Amino acid sequence: MKKEFTITVYTENHVGLLTRIAIIFSRRKINLESVNVGPSEVEGISRFTLVINEAEEVVQKVARQIEKQVEVLKVFFNTDEEIVWQEMAMYKVPTKVIAEQVKVERLLRQYGANTVVIRNDYTVFETTGHKEEIDALAEALAPWGLIEFVRSARIAIIKASEGMHKAVLEFEAAEPSEPAVENEFLDKRDGVFTM
Amino acid sequence: MEKTLEQKAPAAKAQESVTLTGGQVLLEAFIQEGVTTIFGYPGGAIMPIYDALYDYNEKLQHILVRHEQGAIHAAQGFARVSGKTGIVFATSGPGATNLVTGLADAMIDSTPLVCITGQVFAHLLGTDAFQETDVINITTPVTKWNYQVTDAEEIPAILAKAFYIAGSGRPGPVLIDITKNAQLQKMEFSGYTKCNYIRSYRPKPVVRNEYIEQAAAAINAAERPFVVFGQGVILGKAEEEFKAFLEKSGIPAAWTILGMSAIPTDYPLGVGMVGMHGNYGPNRLTNECDVLIAIGMRFDDRVTGRLDKYATQAKIIHLDIDPAEIDKNVKADIPVWGDCKETLPLLTALVDNKTHEAWHQKFKDCAERENEKVIQDEVYPTSDALTMGEVIRNLNELTGGDAIIVTDVGQHQMVACRYAEYIHSKSNVTSGGLGTMGFALPAAIGAAYGDPSRQTVAIIGDGGIQMTIQELGTIMQFKPNVKIMILNNCFLGMVRQWQQLFHEKRYSFVNIESPDFVQVAKGYGIPGNSISTRDKLRDALTTMLNHDGSYLLEVMVGKENNVFPMVPQGKSVSEIVLCREDMG
């Protein structure tokens, strides 16, 4: 039976690793519902948070395939019950509507939206919450002239992760990571020796 | 820009550096890694490496192939026979894309390779430069690891990682793409350090004793235990440990196509090959054993047949070095993670001394049945037309099982793997997982370099030979000793067999015409012969084997012969059929 799983992956910060992990899903025609990649809490180590809808058996196999990659440190997969998660969204609405429509003001209060920027022409709000909450506010604002809407990927904390942070810290301390090597020549057209 | 050695600290003598180009550093790294043979093809973006190679002619033997696919298959053949890492050079763009089939083949068959591709200058990346292609992303799914070098300073450490990753754990192909500027760039080279640790990489899982104990208990309690082993035994160099385990436990053992030759074919506890065209007993009795011990194999669908009817009665013990293989296809009751070189002796120590005579008798009964219904007719035919089986039987009698047998893909492959005899490990080279037609000729070239002391016999169909026939040019130029045996049935035989059995004999594009192979070989300076009658077979084989150097022998065999037994697709291994009449 398919259900929502959140996959957390600790990796080296290397060029190309995103592809190497992404193709493990695309090869099996699994859609990634949400992808968040960035530095983990420990400098030098990246953290992927991926969301898919799949049967647990499939998720376990996929997790093992990810963990097999040379530059992957550790993979966890969890159901929604096992994690605390949030997404963030920003909503750009005409300032005039907020000033004049009490209903809109109520909506924003009801969803706990915070103001990020106020300008004469538009105002940007942000909320954090589960996907459904974010969707609901976006939908409710739509009739009032939502100018732009953007959401982030899911980020998640694993409830039973005692010792994980410490393990990652110790891992990094034992042998510090090397910075990602990038192409230093892309903007040095004439500086590169050619034949 | 020459830097003199005097500029360096005089005290650190061992650390003294020399100024070398990236290309030279690469070759120095190869020498440190014990590389002797490179299979490659030059081109624009790899020219600085080839320029460096000009001065390393004494230390590194470079075999100029005729197509990059030939280079990588040759490197695979070399690796499979020698147990070392195969090396490939190719240029950027088409040179690199021509490696893809070989990479996929090496990936699925766990063959250690380090492939070096040239790449356009780093500043041109992403500009659609001449012969630029995104090799890293094209090859990501078919490499164990790949990396693009844009700065020569990276080369020593990256090469060390490449060799370590390719050869350790479950081996596989690694591709290093080096931009031309990095090949040309001069750097201070102060020695090469091999890599034996990468912090994020666990080549071998930690062996867990509780699983060893559970496995031993299950084996000791079993009445009908059965071993199915794969290439893991060979890759783990655990042939002796494996035999010790079998001899103490007395368990009948069947090989997968890639596990073949890990134990001699006449080894008393060996019961033959599993799989779609494997032996009758091991397939059928898979569904009668009470404990199935899978060792270094991955339950390929060609081995398991219908999965929901595969050994469901048995407790499954799975020994594998790759944790991702456990539970992938068949759920393991007892997963024994680890290198079988380590786990097998631990298991041997705990298993009881047994002989399982009654159980072995069942395999013998099945073998007798198969012999009667299939084998006799195949290897001692009474038909007019020659059979592939009798060719292999005669070959066995002449080589005594000492030869390296390289096969392509199709009917001849199945027949060769069913009937070829082996006395040495690492003697069966075939494209197992990917089923790459065109594999055998170049792989045989590589195999001949991998172990020049033995005969290398390439057995190829009339279809497969035409896919990489250009490599006859490589043989012409470098003169490895390769005996090329074409089993010609004037058909793409395996597809024809399926069309006959499952598509109402609608022979759709399986009728393939061939050139005069003997004349083609002659054009390349390779002597040859073509025969079509039984009375000429023995002499023709003897002439081929005794010829000093490469030789091509075409044997015209029965056109519509089928390979049996067969586990029809979608059927259970216990539904294996011995002949067409049994298919219902």
Side-chain angles (χ1 to χ4, degrees):
Chain A
M1 197 194 63
K2 287 191 180 189
K3 59 178 170 175
E4 195 164 79
F5 280 90
T6 300
I7 302 174
T8 306
V9 189
Y10 284 93
T11 74
E12 299 289 8
N13 176 20
H14 285 180
V15 174
L17 199 51
L18 176 60
T19 308
R20 211 168 248 287
I21 290 173
I23 61 174
I24 290 171
F25 296 93
S26 55
R27 176 176 175 183
R28 293 164 176 78
K29 207 173 175 186
I30 299 171
N31 190 39
L32 286 163
E33 303 294 338
S34 166
V35 179
N36 180 75
V37 188
S40 76
E41 75 270 27
V42 178
E43 206 191 320
I45 294 174
S46 297
R47 179 169 173 152
F48 286 58
T49 305
L50 313 168
V51 181
I52 62 169
N53 265 306
E54 256 308 335
E56 180 165 1
E57 195 194 329
V58 176
V59 179
Q60 165 148 3
K61 286 179 195 179
V62 166
R64 283 187 179 164
Q65 293 296 336
I66 298 171
E67 198 156 83
K68 184 167 149 174
Q69 303 307 317
V70 169
E71 284 146 339
V72 169
L73 312 178
K74 189 77 194 159
V75 181
F76 302 90
F77 62 93
N78 297 97
T79 59
D80 289 350
E81 296 75 46
E82 295 166 348
I83 55 168
V84 178
W85 81 96
Q86 290 285 61
E87 286 173 23
M88 181 184 173
M90 292 202 287
Y91 313 77
K92 184 163 144 189
V93 263
T95 304
K96 195 163 161 265
V97 174
I98 305 157
E100 291 169 6
Q101 300 291 335
V102 182
K103 276 187 178 173
V104 173
E105 194 197 316
R106 275 203 205 125
L107 265 178
L108 295 169
R109 281 172 182 279
Q110 185 190 329
Y111 282 91
N114 296 315
T115 313
V116 183
V117 166
I118 306 171
R119 286 176 36 145
N120 279 341
D121 47 350
Y122 66 79
T123 299
V124 175
F125 295 96
E126 59 92 4
T127 61
T128 54
H130 287 186
K131 185 173 179 294
E132 301 71 31
E133 298 164 304
I134 286 165
D135 284 347
L137 180 56
E139 220 167 279
L141 285 174
W144 302 102
L146 184 61
I147 300 166
E148 195 181 340
F149 165 68
V150 63
R151 73 162 95 244
S152 75
R154 172 184 290 193
I155 54 170
I157 291 270
I158 302 168
K159 287 178 185 167
S161 62
E162 268 96 334
M164 193 163 88
H165 174 68
K166 195 165 155 255
V168 179
L169 270 178
E170 282 171 0
F171 181 81
E172 176 68 19
E175 194 197 345
S177 56
E178 287 164 19
V181 182
E182 290 184 71
N183 188 351
E184 300 300 326
F185 302 98
L186 285 173
D187 58 347
K188 297 193 175 60
R189 225 140 250 263
D190 303 321
V192 181
F193 174 74
T194 54
M195 275 180 84
Chain B
M1 200 185 74
E2 289 286 304
K3 246 186 191 172
T4 58
L5 293 175
E6 281 85 329
Q7 286 174 296
K8 290 278 154 197
K13 219 175 178 187
Q15 305 278 304
E16 261 179 25
S17 69
V18 282
T19 307
L20 297 176
T21 65
Q24 289 169 322
V25 170
L26 175 83
L27 301 183
E28 285 294 332
F30 277 176
I31 288 164
Q32 295 298 316
E33 291 287 351
V35 171
T36 53
T37 312
I38 300 162
F39 301 93
Y41 204 101
I46 198 171
M47 281 183 67
I49 289 173
Y50 272 84
D51 185 63
L53 192 60
Y54 193 77
D55 297 322
Y56 283 78
N57 224 351
E58 304 274 297
K59 293 175 184 165
L60 295 167
Q61 178 183 32
H62 177 275
I63 309 301
L64 175 68
V65 295
R66 293 300 180 266
H67 186 285
E68 289 86 355
Q69 186 188 356
I72 190 162
H73 290 330
Q76 289 179 271
F78 177 89
R80 294 268 283 270
V81 164
S82 68
K84 294 186 209 158
T85 297
I87 310 293
V88 179
F89 280 177
T91 194
S92 65
T97 56
N98 281 343
L99 298 182
V100 171
T101 302
L103 288 169
D105 196 287
M107 185 71 176
I108 200 163
D109 282 352
S110 310
T111 309
L113 300 179
V114 170
C115 302
I116 306 294
T117 50
Q119 182 55 283
V120 301
F121 287 91
H123 69 283
L124 295 176
L125 287 169
T127 66
D128 301 323
F130 177 65
Q131 290 191 332
E132 186 205 353
T133 193
D134 185 356
V135 182
I136 292 297
N137 281 308
I138 287 176
T139 61
T140 295
V142 289
T143 50
K144 185 174 174 186
W145 187 65
N146 62 8
Y147 189 84
Q148 185 173 57
V149 170
T150 50
D151 186 322
E153 299 284 348
E154 296 181 85
I155 291 175
I158 290 300
L159 255 287
K161 269 179 89 167
F163 277 92
Y164 174 54
I165 292 168
S168 60
R170 179 177 180 176
V174 168
L175 182 138
I176 306 297
D177 192 38
I178 309 180
T179 57
K180 197 167 178 181
N181 59 295
Q183 300 170 34
L184 290 163
Q185 184 190 337
K186 288 190 172 161
M187 63 171 277
E188 293 302 308
F189 179 65
S190 55
Y192 180 79
T193 315
K194 282 195 192 184
C195 174
N196 60 13
Y197 175 77
I198 296 168
R199 70 171 196 167
S200 59
Y201 172 55
R202 296 282 167 273
K204 291 177 193 180
V206 178
V207 178
R208 288 170 58 175
N209 261 321
E210 69 262 38
Y211 289 138
I212 300 273
E213 283 161 16
Q214 284 174 30
I219 291 167
N220 289 339
E223 284 175 15
R224 296 177 310 280
F226 178 41
V227 165
V228 178
F229 68 95
Q231 197 191 194
V233 173
I234 298 173
L235 292 169
K237 299 180 173 66
E239 292 92 341
E240 292 312 313
E241 289 81 357
F242 179 56
K243 281 187 213 161
F245 168 72
L246 290 183
E247 276 156 33
K248 188 171 178 198
S249 65
I251 302 174
W255 50 81
T256 67
I257 190 169
L258 290 188
M260 175 171 280
S261 87
I263 55 174
T265 27
D266 64 354
Y267 188 73
L269 294 159
V271 293
M273 181 168 79
V274 291
M276 186 173 267
H277 293 292
N279 292 107
Y280 182 65
N283 274 312
R284 207 186 155 85
L285 298 175
T286 295
N287 280 0
E288 287 185 27
C289 68
D290 55 359
V291 173
L292 178 70
I293 306 130
I295 304 175
M297 56 84 80
R298 57 184 179 80
F299 291 111
D300 181 88
D301 57 271
R302 287 296 195 266
V303 162
T304 62
R306 191 168 156 172
L307 208 51
D308 63 356
K309 289 187 176 176
Y310 181 79
T312 48
Q313 80 293 344
K315 192 172 257 190
I316 311 280
I317 302 171
H318 194 174
L319 285 73
D320 210 287
I321 197 165
D322 177 0
E325 285 302 337
I326 307 286
D327 295 344
K328 189 186 79 179
N329 296 332
V330 172
K331 191 128 186 66
D333 296 293
I334 306 169
V336 183
W337 281 286
D339 182 346
C340 62
K341 181 124 186 139
E342 292 166 27
T343 53
L344 280 171
L346 295 171
L347 206 49
T348 306
L350 300 182
V351 296
D352 296 338
N353 231 317
K354 287 193 180 170
T355 54
H356 295 292
E357 272 162 44
W359 176 228
H360 271 284
Q361 190 54 46
K362 284 204 144 193
F363 285 91
K364 282 182 192 139
D365 294 344
C366 285
E368 207 164 293
R369 181 128 195 262
E370 182 179 350
N371 192 42
E372 240 169 66
K373 297 265 283 188
V374 183
I375 299 174
Q376 278 303 311
D377 262 1
E378 181 64 36
V379 301
Y380 296 101
T382 49
S383 59
D384 285 345
L386 283 165
T387 65
M388 293 183 183
E390 71 180 310
V391 179
I392 307 297
R393 194 238 325 145
N394 277 280
L395 184 70
N396 288 337
E397 288 165 6
L398 293 168
T399 63
D402 183 58
I404 295 159
I405 304 288
V406 185
T407 49
D408 213 77
V409 170
Q411 285 187 318
H412 73 278
Q413 175 193 31
M414 292 298 113
V415 173
C417 290
R418 284 179 51 77
Y419 301 112
E421 288 170 4
Y422 300 95
I423 52 178
H424 309 291
S425 183
K426 299 200 282 279
S427 296
N428 173 46
V429 181
T430 194
S431 170
L434 199 67
T436 306
M437 283 176 70
F439 174 82
L441 183 59
I445 294 171
Y449 285 103
D451 186 354
S453 72
R454 289 159 65 199
Q455 284 273 18
T456 297
V457 181
I459 301 171
I460 316 179
D462 45 319
I465 184 80
Q466 294 188 63
M467 282 201 178
T468 47
I469 200 164
Q470 77 285 346
E471 297 309 327
L472 290 174
T474 308
I475 295 174
M476 170 183 71
Q477 187 171 354
F478 295 92
K479 303 192 168 42
N481 183 1
V482 179
K483 312 302 188 200
I484 306 152
M485 205 161 76
I486 301 171
L487 301 182
N488 188 346
N489 55 11
C490 306
F491 270 118
L492 297 172
M494 188 57 92
V495 181
R496 186 208 55 72
Q497 175 170 344
W498 281 52
Q499 288 177 348
Q500 181 187 4
L501 300 178
F502 311 116
H503 296 269
E504 294 90 38
K505 214 177 172 181
R506 287 151 55 88
Y507 287 173
S508 185
F509 298 98
V510 287
N511 195 332
I512 187 169
E513 289 183 15
S514 293
D516 182 333
F517 290 120
V518 178
Q519 285 301 316
V520 171
K522 197 177 165 197
Y524 283 104
I526 300 164
N529 187 16
S530 179
I531 59 156
S532 54
T533 55
R534 192 157 293 132
D535 57 320
K536 300 223 172 82
L537 177 60
R538 193 76 171 203
D539 282 350
L541 284 170
T542 308
T543 306
M544 174 185 84
L545 292 170
N546 289 345
H547 181 75
D548 184 18
S550 292
Y551 190 94
L552 183 143
L553 174 64
E554 178 188 34
V555 183
M556 305 304 294
V557 295
K559 288 183 73 168
E560 294 184 74
N561 291 352
N562 289 332
V563 188
F564 280 104
M566 181 176 192
V567 179
Q569 199 167 36
K571 292 278 167 73
S572 157
V573 285
S574 52
E575 295 173 276
I576 183 168
V577 292
L578 284 165
C579 57
R580 208 181 146 195
E581 293 67 46
D582 291 355
M583 292 195 71

